[in-house]
């Protein structure tokens, strides 16, 4: 404004390096002018076209009459940008002349300062120094001691003598006033306050004899003539005309609604008057001496379809590695997933064997008999428990009645019987089964170690396939059904191997176990079959420009139908069995826009929580804006420690809960200025969390002191509404389940290897009308 010859310009780091105009290096605040040849700028426009930073001013540059264009560095962004160009020769010369004049004035001032010394002029300060100096004015006392010469060297003899006998030997020094040491006070600093004079007085009222008296009032009424005159007046007619409409509306509202209704009391109509003392009631607890001794529970999952079945995985405690004895090391390192039932809590129902400790696992939503797990060494493992589904269903005595979700009474009745008579129920189940040894299930597929995660697989999610393709006869070999993440800065997409592939893998595992027991001289006649399981897509969460790594520990993404379309023609089976030198999956970096034709018509936005406590909202299919600059990931450094929970709300697809360290936060997808709700720093650490499945405003958070904080956002947002002590150790995982409309459970595990099943009270289960 007011300078039509000045055009602001945004220069990227690459352009600054090409034209040698880097701030604080090539140009500074004092030396802010840079002349650039017009030919060089035109050449840059031809080379980089629309990606050039000079492209918005292309017309101005081409019409410039001179050979050199003046570029000015503006650190204060006076015209909106850090740089601007001068598109007029006259303005260019004026700016350069002003710079030369300013430099000459600076040099003259410097010479005057260095060459000419002004004489010192006294302003009276030496007098003040002289007055403040201490000068001795008092006369010093002098004493002279003498002795006769003949007494020098004479021997000294001490004797006892009374002082009153000889007056010369006793001298009394009495006190007296010495004018020498008297100081006359010339000035004194005192405070004076003026106060009014105080006076005390008293008075006595005259007392008279009391007597009874009464007063009566009567209304003053108008006469009949005055009433008739007032009603017939124009003033009365104007008043009635003005207010009769409002009066009719008021009378109608009185008929329609109750004006004495208390709206404030109606706000708490859904709350019970008698609040329960216990919000999480202990229902059952599970533990196992063989598999859970000195181990921590890492993950808990409820069976999606069978009531009362819960599975958990355990891993080695970090602090216990140094205390493991070599004698029982094989026993302690049994990596399994354990299945328990409400109706037989003393016996394990199923044990899934794993190659390494399981960090996380998940049931398949389309087929609950398929279970995927992530190991601590980065492998991804599959189990198929379809052969043991009948055993799990037989554990539930009312399995046939609980098929219909609307019939909740038999299920609730069975739960009450189990709670009242646990001994009879357990004894009856032992008679029915006859054996307490649970069946062992081997894994039917395991990922190839060279193509798995290099660190622990910390989170796993299932993605449903498109059911229309399966109905038309299409195969599901290339269907993206599984997603895993790891702190090695990668997210892997997996397809599920076919049934034939899993059966071959399982048979090969059995043959390997047999070979380990066979003598070495027996020849092996089995053919080598390539049964390695590799991911289809790998996402690198690493920005190549800034070399920033995002090590995800938890991820959250919308459940969409992901479909993998391999480029080119399909390879033959022989070509697939040959060893592949290059990476078999499609690799996509977070800062690259290559190989994007693999994924089509899907949403690639996702949330990630990393080891440093940062929440990253990114999109691996990087898009570009109108200026040609890619949109980078949004990173929020809110938590102080590793994020242990990043969970989507079961009621809203764009609401997420993140927990880590001493804080938790609630995020909304699309809100870029941070979380919509964040907590203050707590005294202890938050270790686990879980949304409520029935109330949108309720969630549970586990702490390192064994407590469960219950947050009800409709009541309080600055502190938990309730808290309850569950264990003496750290809470490691929380999982919720809705068994029926009236019965809701919360599974809580601790660091001692104990699983607590808690029943949630009705106040925390039934949402209000407007929640």
């Amino acid at each position: 404004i007011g300078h039509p010859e000045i055009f602001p310009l945004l220069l990227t780091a690459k352009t600054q390096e090409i034209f040698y105009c880097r701030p604080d290096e090539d140009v500074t605040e004092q030396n802010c002018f840079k002349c650039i040849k017009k030919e060089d700028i035109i050449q840059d426009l031809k080379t980089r076209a629309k990606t050039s930073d000079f492209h918005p001013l292309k017309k101005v540059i081409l019409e410039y009459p001179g050979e050199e264009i003046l570029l000015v560095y503006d650190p204060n962004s006076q015209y909106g940008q850090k740089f601007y160009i001068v598109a007029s020769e006259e303005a260019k010369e004026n700016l350069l002349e002003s710079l030369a004049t300013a430099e000459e004035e600076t040099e003259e001032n410097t010479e005057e300062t260095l060459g000419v010394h002004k004489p010192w002029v006294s302003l009276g300060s030496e007098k003040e120094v002289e007055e403040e100096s201490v000068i001795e004015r008092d006369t010093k006392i002098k004493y002279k001691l003498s002795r006769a010469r003949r007494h020098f060297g004479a021997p000294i003899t001490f004797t006892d003598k009374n002082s009153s006998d000889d007056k010369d030997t006793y001298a009394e020094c009495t006190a007296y006033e010495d004018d020498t040491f008297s100081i006359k006070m010339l000035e004194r600093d005192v405070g004076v306050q003026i106060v009014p004079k105080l006076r005390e007085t008293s008075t006595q009222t005259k007392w008279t004899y009391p007597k009874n008296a009464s007063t009566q009032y009567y209304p003053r009424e108008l006469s009949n003539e005055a009433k008739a005159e007032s009603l017939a007046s124009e003033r009365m007619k104007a008043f009635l005309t003005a207010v009769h409409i409002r009066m009719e509306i008021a009378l109608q509202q009185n008929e329609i609604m109750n004006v004495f209704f208390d709206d404030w009391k109606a706000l708490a109509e859904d709350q019970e008057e008698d609040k329960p003392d216990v919000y999480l009631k202990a229902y059952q607890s599970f533990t196992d001496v063989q598999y859970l001794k000195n181990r921590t529970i890492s993950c808990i999952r409820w069976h999606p379809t069978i009531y009362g079945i819960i599975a958990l995985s355990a891993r080695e405690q970090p602090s216990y590695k140094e205390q493991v004895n070599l004698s029982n090391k094989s026993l302690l390192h049994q990596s399994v997933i354990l299945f328990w039932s409400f109706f037989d809590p003393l016996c394990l129902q199923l044990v899934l064997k794993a190659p390494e400790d399981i960090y996380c696992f998940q049931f398949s939503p389309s087929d609950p008999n398929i279970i995927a797990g992530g190991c601590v060494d980065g492998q991804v493992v599959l189990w198929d428990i379809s052969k043991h589904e009948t055993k799990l269903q037989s554990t539930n005595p009312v399995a046939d009645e609980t098929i219909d979700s609307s019939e909740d009474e038999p299920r609730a009745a069975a739960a009450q019987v189990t709670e009242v008579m646990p001994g009879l129920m357990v004894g009856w189940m032992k008679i029915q089964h006859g054996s307490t040894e649970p069946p062992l299930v081997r894994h039917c597929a395991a990922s190839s170690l060279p193509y798995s995660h290099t660190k622990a697989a910390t989170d796993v999610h299932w993605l449903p396939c498109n059911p229309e393709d399966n109905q038309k006869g299409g195969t599901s070999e290339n269907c993206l059904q599984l997603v895993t993440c790891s702190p090695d800065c990668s997210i892997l997409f997996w397809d599920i191997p076919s049934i034939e592939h899993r059966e071959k893998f399982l048979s090969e595992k059995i043959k390997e176990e047999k070979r380990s027991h066979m003598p070495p001289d027996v020849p092996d006649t089995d053919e080598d079959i390539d049964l390695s399981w590799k991911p289809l897509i790998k996402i690198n969460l690493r920005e190549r420009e800034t070399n920033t790594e995002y090590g995800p520990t938890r991820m959250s993404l919308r459940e969409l139908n992901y479909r993998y379309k391999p480029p080119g023609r399909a390879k033959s089976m022989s070509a697939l069995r040959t060893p592949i030198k290059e990476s078999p999956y499609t690799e996509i970096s977070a800062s690259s826009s290559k190989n994007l034709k693999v994924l089509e018509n899907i949403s690639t936005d996702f949330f990630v929580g990393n080891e440093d406590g940062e929440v990253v909202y990114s999109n691996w299919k990087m898009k570009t804006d109108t200026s040609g600059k890619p949109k980078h990931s949004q990173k929020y450094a809110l938590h102080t420690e590793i994020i242990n929970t990043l969970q989507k709300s079961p009621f809203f697809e764009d609401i997420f809960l993140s927990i880590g360290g001493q804080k938790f936060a609630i995020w909304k997808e699309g809100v870029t200025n941070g979380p919509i709700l964040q907590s203050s720093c707590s005294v202890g650490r938050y270790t686990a969390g879980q949304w409520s499945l029935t109330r949108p405003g309720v969630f549970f958070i586990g702490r390192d002191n064994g407590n469960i904080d219950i947050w009800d956002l409709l009541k309080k947002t600055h502190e938990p509404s309730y808290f309850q002590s569950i264990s003496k150790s750290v809470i490691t995982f929380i999982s919720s389940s809705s068994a029926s409309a009236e019965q809701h459970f919360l599974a809580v595990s601790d660091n001692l290897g104990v699983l607590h099943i808690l029943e949630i009270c009705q106040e925390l289960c039934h949402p209000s009308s407007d929640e």
Side-chain angles (χ1 to χ4, degrees), residues 21 48 59 154 238 315 370 431 468 518 687 710 747:
C21 55
R48 295 194 295 173
K59 183 178 179 181
R315 63 186 180 94
I370 303 298
I431 295 174
E468 297 179 358
M518 292 176 62
T687 56
I710 305 173

Side-chain angles (χ1 to χ4, degrees), residues 495-653:
D495 65 335
I496 302 306
S498 60
I499 299 178
E500 294 80 6
H501 186 101
R502 298 199 294 264
E503 291 177 352
K504 290 180 181 179
F505 182 88
L506 191 58
S507 62
E508 285 295 317
K509 283 294 179 183
I510 297 175
K511 290 180 182 179
E512 288 180 3
E513 293 180 359
K514 292 181 179 179
R515 292 194 201 104
S516 61
H517 299 288
M518 292 176 62
D521 54 350
V522 177
D524 187 9
T525 58
D526 294 334
E527 296 181 359
D528 293 334
I529 304 176
D530 183 16
L531 297 175
S532 60
W533 184 26
K534 306 180 184 68
L536 293 177
I537 298 178
K538 179 179 181 180
I539 308 300
N540 278 334
L541 296 180
R542 182 184 294 109
E543 294 185 1
R544 295 177 180 175
E545 295 180 358
T546 60
N547 199 19
T548 302
E549 295 183 353
Y550 305 130
T553 56
R554 291 290 186 267
M555 63 178 177
S556 181
L557 63 162
R558 297 191 178 186
E559 297 178 356
L560 299 175
N561 295 333
Y562 289 85
R563 188 68 179 174
Y564 178 78
K565 297 181 180 181
R569 299 179 180 179
K571 299 181 180 180
S572 61
M573 292 302 295
S574 60
L576 291 174
R577 292 178 182 177
T578 56
I580 303 174
K581 297 181 180 181
E582 298 180 355
S583 179
Y585 41 71
T586 301
E587 184 172 348
I588 304 175
S589 299
S591 63
S592 173
S593 59
K594 299 178 181 179
N595 303 328
L596 294 181
K597 296 182 179 179
V598 178
L599 300 173
E600 297 179 358
N601 299 326
I602 64 172
S603 175
T604 53
D605 296 331
F606 65 98
F607 275 90
V608 161
N610 63 6
E611 293 179 307
D612 300 328
E614 299 174 341
V615 176
V616 182
Y617 178 65
S618 184
N619 186 316
W620 60 73
K621 189 175 182 181
M622 301 298 290
K623 300 179 181 179
T624 57
D625 54 14
T626 56
S627 62
K629 188 176 181 181
K631 296 180 179 178
H632 294 282
S633 304
Q634 297 171 3
K635 182 173 63 175
Y636 306 95
L638 177 67
H639 304 279
T640 56
E641 298 179 18
I642 182 174
I643 292 180
N644 54 68
T645 302
L646 187 64
Q647 192 178 87
K648 183 180 66 174
S649 171
F651 297 92
F652 308 100
E653 292 185 353

